[in-house]
Amino acid sequence: MQEIFNWTKEHMAKSIEALKRDFLSIRTGKVSAAILDPIRVDYYGTPTPISQVATIATPNATTITITPWEKPMLKEIEKAIQSANIGVNPGNNGEAVILSFPPMTSEQRQEGVKKAKAYLETCKVAIRNIRRDANEKIKKLEKEKAISEDEAKRAQDQIQKMTDEWIKKADDTFAAKEAEILKV
C-alpha cells in the first residue's frame, strides 16, 4: 500500500513540476529567458537549444540579449527566433542578438492567463489520471485478496485526499502565475 501512495505522490509532484515548467514559457510583465527554451537552432546540423550555443541575459524587464559563443551562430539564432514566432523580431548588433519586447497589452495579458488556465487544466487531468491508476492498483490488490475491502476503501480515501491536496497546489500555482501576468 505504501508503495502505491509513494508512487502516487511522486507522479503528482511531477505533474506540478511540469505545470511550473509550462508556466515559464508564458510571458509576464518582465521577460524571461525561459521563453527561448522551446526554440532550437541548427548547430552543425543538430537542433540544439539556444542556451547551449550562447549566453542569454535579461538586462532589463523588456530586453533579452543572446551572445553566441561562435560568431556564425548569430544568423542561425536570428533565423530560429523568427521562425518560432514569439512575438518579437530579433535585432543584431554584430556581437549579439537583441530581443526588445514591447510592454504587454491588456489583450496579451488576458491571452497569457488563458494559456495558463489551459496548462492548469492539463495538469489537473494528469493528477486525476494518476488517481485513477492508483485506485485501479488498489482494486487489483483487493481482487487478489491481498487486502481487505475496508483497507481498500481507506486506501482509496487516502488517494482522494492526496488528489485534493495536489489539485489545490496546482490551483495555488496558477493563482500566483495569474497575478504575475496581470501585474502592470
Side-chain angles (χ1 to χ4, degrees):
M1 290 300 260
Q2 194 56 46
E3 202 175 288
I4 294 172
F5 294 150
N6 291 342
W7 177 88
T8 304
K9 190 176 199 171
E10 180 185 326
H11 282 75
M12 288 182 177
K14 285 180 182 175
S15 295
I16 299 291
E17 288 307 310
L19 177 67
K20 288 177 180 174
R21 265 195 317 276
D22 288 342
F23 279 175
L24 287 176
S25 69
I26 298 174
R27 185 168 168 219
T28 59
K30 181 184 184 314
V31 294
S32 162
I35 200 166
L36 302 173
D37 287 351
I39 302 173
R40 301 286 182 257
V41 294
D42 182 21
Y43 184 67
Y44 299 108
T46 306
T48 309
I50 292 177
S51 60
Q52 292 182 10
V53 297
T55 303
I56 301 170
T58 52
N60 58 45
T62 60
T63 309
I64 296 177
T65 59
I66 305 161
T67 311
W69 300 324
E70 300 173 20
K71 279 266 196 279
M73 290 308 295
L74 270 175
K75 291 271 181 263
E76 290 297 330
I77 291 171
E78 269 188 294
K79 242 193 316 191
I81 290 170
Q82 281 173 334
S83 62
N85 196 12
I86 57 172
V88 67
N89 277 324
N92 172 347
N93 67 4
E95 294 288 317
V97 175
I98 299 167
L99 306 176
S100 293
F101 290 83
M104 287 179 76
T105 64
S106 60
E107 292 87 39
Q108 286 173 318
R109 291 178 192 281
Q110 291 307 319
E111 203 54 45
V113 170
K114 267 191 213 165
K115 217 187 228 184
K117 271 190 182 135
Y119 287 142
L120 172 67
E121 283 312 309
T122 303
C123 177
K124 284 181 174 182
V125 167
I127 290 172
R128 289 186 196 112
N129 287 341
I130 294 164
R131 173 188 60 194
R132 183 199 61 219
D133 294 346
N135 283 338
E136 283 173 5
K137 288 178 182 182
I138 291 166
K139 285 176 187 158
K140 188 176 174 212
L141 286 176
E142 183 186 355
K143 200 174 191 178
E144 294 169 350
K145 302 277 188 243
I147 58 173
S148 71
E149 201 176 310
D150 287 347
E151 285 176 313
K153 180 75 179 111
R154 275 195 300 275
Q156 286 176 340
D157 289 346
Q158 179 69 29
I159 295 290
Q160 184 58 49
K161 278 185 191 141
M162 290 168 79
T163 303
D164 295 343
E165 201 178 291
W166 287 100
I167 284 192
K168 183 178 178 348
K169 282 183 185 177
D171 285 333
D172 293 346
T173 305
F174 167 75
K177 185 64 177 184
E178 183 181 32
E180 187 183 346
I181 292 169
L182 295 175
K183 185 178 163 202
V184 180

